[in-house]
Amino acid sequence: MSMNASNKTLVRLMAAMLVAAVLAGCGFKLRGSDGQYNLPFQSIWLSFNEASPLGTELKRNLRAGDTVRIENDASKAEALFDVLSETRGKSILSLNSLGRVREYSLSYTLVFQVRDANNRQLLAPTEITLRRNIAFDEGQVLAKESEEALLYRDMQSDLVQQILRRLAAIKPA
């Protein structure tokens, strides 16, 4: 008995759904994938500029965890998150045969440290740098600007997750 193409497709689809159901039901998930991190302090002060999109996203993620209070007054916080620098960069990665830009490399770098209420260092100055490559086409400048903005937002989300993991790894003195 021979199966036609639509029956083979249906069997493959059902097999894929079965595998997905088994994996979903086993309870496996990455640590922190639910957005919850066990931070070793009850309150934190963040030195981000009010207009910083990275600071805003970090605050949103900390508030979602519901275990840490974000203080507006540094003297009331158990942990002080100091932003030493936050920079975005864009450099030429490659050129075409005419010497025009074919690819850019985007970077997002954050340098920060964490201190306790007694000004003791909980986390030494730490640098996180993320990079993404983006192809460039002169005929699609607006689309590429949009893609660049999306890549920066993606890097920002990755940075927030890396910050949260580093904060959760702090061992209080």
Side-chain angles (χ1 to χ4, degrees):
M1 177 192 238
S2 172
M3 284 202 272
N4 64 23
S6 66
N7 284 342
K8 286 181 182 178
T9 304
L10 182 61
V11 168
R12 286 183 183 144
L13 178 62
M14 288 174 41
M17 288 173 54
L18 179 64
V19 168
V22 168
L23 287 175
C26 77
F28 174 79
K29 66 179 177 178
L30 294 172
R31 188 177 79 187
S33 64
D34 59 354
Q36 302 295 317
Y37 291 91
N38 293 322
L39 301 180
F41 41 80
Q42 300 299 313
S43 62
I44 188 168
W45 173 80
L46 304 170
S47 73
F48 282 100
N49 178 330
E50 285 296 319
S52 168
L54 180 62
T56 302
E57 186 167 345
L58 180 58
K59 285 178 187 176
R60 185 176 27 246
N61 276 264
L62 286 168
R63 285 185 182 119
D66 206 29
T67 59
V68 175
R69 201 173 53 256
I70 299 170
E71 294 288 351
N72 292 325
D73 182 359
S75 66
K76 295 179 181 175
E78 289 180 32
L80 308 169
F81 185 95
D82 298 315
V83 176
L84 304 176
S85 71
E86 178 183 354
T87 56
R88 291 180 177 197
K90 182 178 179 179
S91 59
I92 297 172
L93 189 60
S94 64
L95 303 171
N96 64 17
S97 60
L98 301 173
R100 294 190 176 132
V101 175
R102 186 173 66 188
E103 247 182 328
Y104 283 106
S105 175
L106 306 176
S107 64
Y108 200 153
T109 301
L110 178 72
V111 181
F112 66 96
Q113 68 180 3
V114 180
R115 298 174 290 131
D116 69 8
N118 297 321
N119 214 23
R120 287 188 305 250
Q121 207 167 59
L122 296 174
L123 182 63
T126 302
E127 178 178 312
I128 302 174
T129 300
L130 299 176
R131 297 188 194 291
R132 302 286 192 275
N133 297 340
I134 181 172
F136 183 73
D137 181 356
E138 290 175 353
Q140 299 177 339
V141 174
L142 290 176
K144 289 301 172 178
E145 285 177 1
S146 235
E147 182 180 357
E148 182 178 324
L150 283 171
L151 286 172
Y152 275 122
R153 275 199 300 274
D154 178 54
M155 285 190 280
Q156 176 181 299
S157 294
D158 284 355
L159 267 174
V160 165
Q161 293 306 308
Q162 288 194 34
I163 291 167
L164 290 171
R165 283 192 294 275
R166 282 173 171 79
L167 290 175
I170 290 174
K171 303 293 184 225

